[in-house]
């Protein structure tokens, strides 16, 4: 890449929406885990697109990049699981990824060939802030309305709240601001339901 191309990429993606695996030099397994966690976080934060730099493998044995190949295998899997809407090779050593709406996480199909993600901690709404529970309830009502359930029972509403909590919490990074990120994701999901 020329310095002009790098400048355009910096302008388009910035540091917040660029994952430079080449600079981190992870193993293929580490790169897969890091990229999946980072891409899920970007989706929840509302990014439209992001840049994943893998490198071409020019300095690797036989010019083969195991990191690039692991990302090439990961991206279709994330598309099937509604984390990303699409991806394209940007340069021989990078990919541009576009994100699926947050509400698409609730529609993720089950695949037999892929190992299921480890379940998040047991879904329980106890211990959540009252505002988070209110947002979960609002999104559950909107979600059920899309399915044609306009007067859900208490059990239906609680089941939908738990389902959405499990789907979103699996996409959130560990950390102290996890509940704040959950609230942002719920707000984004409500906006997507109301816009759709």
């Amino acid at each position: 890449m020329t310095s002009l191309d790098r400048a355009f990429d910096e302008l388009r993606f910035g540091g917040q929406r660029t994952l430079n695996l080449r600079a981190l030099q992870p193993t293929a397994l580490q790169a897969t885990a890091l990229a999946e966690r980072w891409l899920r976080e970007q989706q929840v934060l509302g990014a439209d697109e992001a840049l994943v730099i893998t490198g071409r493998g020019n300095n690797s044995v036989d010019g083969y990049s195991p990191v690039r190949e692991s990302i090439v295998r990961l991206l279709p899997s994330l598309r099937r699981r509604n984390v990303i809407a699409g991806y394209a090779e940007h340069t021989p050593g990078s990919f541009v990824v576009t994100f699926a709406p947050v509400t698409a996480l609730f529609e993720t199909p089950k695949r037999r060939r892929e190992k299921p993600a480890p379940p998040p901690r047991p879904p329980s709404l106890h211990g959540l802030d009252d505002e988070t529970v209110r947002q979960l309830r609002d999104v559950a009502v909107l979600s059920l309305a899309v399915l044609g359930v306009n007067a859900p029972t208490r059990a239906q509403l609680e089941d939908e709240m738990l389902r959405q909590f499990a789907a979103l919490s699996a996409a959130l990074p560990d950390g102290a601001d996890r509940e704040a990120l959950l609230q942002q994701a719920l707000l984004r999901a409500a906006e997507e339901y109301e816009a759709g």
Side-chain angles (χ1 to χ4, degrees):
M1 286 182 73
T2 67
S3 58
L4 183 61
D5 291 331
R6 285 191 191 103
F8 277 121
D9 283 349
E10 180 63 30
L11 184 63
R12 180 176 173 186
F13 301 104
Q16 296 295 322
R17 292 184 297 129
T18 301
L19 175 62
N20 191 343
L21 294 170
R22 184 181 63 209
L24 298 173
Q25 298 182 342
T27 65
L29 191 58
Q30 291 169 334
T32 300
L34 178 63
E36 181 167 352
R37 188 171 45 251
W38 186 80
L39 289 168
R40 285 179 173 277
E41 182 179 344
Q42 291 300 307
Q43 178 194 27
V44 167
L45 292 175
D48 293 328
E49 62 179 3
L51 180 65
V52 179
I53 301 169
T54 61
R56 292 178 285 185
N58 289 344
N59 296 325
S60 300
V61 177
D62 298 328
Y64 168 78
S65 171
V67 168
R68 184 181 189 288
E69 293 306 312
S70 70
I71 299 304
V72 166
R73 286 190 302 275
L74 173 67
L75 293 175
S77 172
L78 291 177
R79 186 174 58 201
R80 282 190 300 272
R81 291 182 279 154
N82 294 334
V83 174
I84 64 173
Y87 60 93
E89 189 175 67
H90 183 59
T91 66
S94 67
F95 296 90
V96 172
V97 175
T98 55
F99 293 94
V102 172
T103 53
L105 287 174
F106 307 139
E107 304 157 6
T108 303
K110 302 291 183 210
R111 303 255 317 170
R112 282 192 251 191
R113 290 187 310 176
E114 293 178 350
K115 294 178 185 174
R121 47 182 190 229
S124 172
L125 304 181
H126 299 292
L128 291 178
D129 186 71
D130 290 341
E131 176 62 17
T132 306
V133 174
R134 185 196 62 74
Q135 285 182 302
L136 267 169
R137 185 176 293 107
D138 291 347
V139 171
V141 167
L142 292 168
S143 174
L144 290 169
V146 167
L147 297 173
V149 181
N150 292 319
T153 64
R154 181 179 176 153
Q156 288 173 321
L157 191 58
E158 287 177 358
D159 285 347
E160 185 63 14
M161 289 170 68
L162 287 171
R163 188 177 74 83
Q164 292 181 356
F165 174 67
L168 289 175
S169 63
L172 298 174
D174 291 329
D177 58 351
R178 194 170 161 89
E179 189 161 356
L181 289 173
L182 176 61
Q183 288 183 2
Q184 288 178 8
L186 288 166
L187 181 61
R188 187 157 292 106
E191 290 169 353
E192 289 172 7
Y193 275 126
E194 290 171 353

